[in-house]
Amino acid sequence: MFNLTLETAKYLIAVAEQKARQLGLSNDIAVVDEGANLIAFHRMDGAKIAGIEISQNKAWTSVAMQMPTANLAQAAQPGFPSFGINTTNQGKLVILGGGVPLVVDKKVIGGIGVSGGTSAQDIEVANAAALAFSNWLAGGETPIVSGRSGFFHY
């Protein structure tokens, strides 16, 4: 069984931050484990304070619902089967795009949540990290931590 470590969470955050910078964004980025417990959080310079909780709740939702948060948006609209779902769990359940589960052998082992751009941008940033994680698990290059900067180089 694969468990997310702090080092893996740092790698995911580094990939997400790199993508956010490419898009000209300042994001809040959260990584949670299989129980939706926070492992790591990163607030880029200039990121919105409101995004701190939103990014963490997006990551939580992706694990709790075992799907990307964007998948909930349509189903949560008036007249659809999950209308009002975002009012459950003390309002912690987020239907905005940007929360993506991390899956190993068809099992959700954690999630990443991104906030600070449009839903489409947040999805793009979160998906970049999830894709890098999948590629790494599939035998891609293992991330190396630089002792000087604390950031991963890949």
Side-chain angles (χ1 to χ4, degrees):
M1 175 169 179
F2 186 93
N3 290 315
L4 282 179
T5 64
L6 177 59
E7 292 304 309
T8 303
K10 288 178 183 179
Y11 167 66
L12 294 168
I13 287 171
V15 171
E17 181 176 0
Q18 180 181 32
K19 184 64 174 181
R21 287 186 189 285
Q22 288 173 354
L23 296 172
L25 302 171
S26 292
N27 286 123
D28 294 288
I29 306 161
V31 177
V32 299
D33 66 14
E34 73 280 356
N37 302 297
L38 185 65
I39 297 174
F41 172 78
H42 179 68
R43 181 172 172 249
M44 293 174 66
D45 291 342
K48 295 178 179 91
I49 294 169
I52 295 169
E53 189 172 341
I54 294 168
S55 65
Q56 291 177 22
N57 287 346
K58 285 180 181 184
W60 181 90
T61 300
S62 73
V63 171
M65 297 300 291
Q66 299 184 2
M67 68 175 68
T69 56
N71 291 10
L72 295 169
Q74 184 64 35
Q77 297 303 309
F80 285 84
S82 296
F83 176 66
I85 194 167
N86 55 304
T87 65
T88 66
N89 296 281
Q90 294 85 34
K92 194 172 185 175
L93 205 134
V94 177
I95 62 171
L96 304 170
V100 177
L102 302 168
V103 180
V104 175
D105 296 328
K106 299 180 183 177
K107 183 179 182 324
V108 175
I109 56 99
I112 184 165
V114 176
S115 182
T118 65
S119 282
Q121 290 169 326
D122 291 349
I123 292 166
E124 189 173 351
V125 172
N127 279 340
L131 179 61
F133 178 69
S134 294
N135 290 340
W136 173 56
L137 287 177
E141 189 173 322
T142 303
I144 308 291
V145 178
S146 165
R148 286 184 47 208
S149 68
F151 287 106
F152 285 89
H153 297 281
Y154 35 93

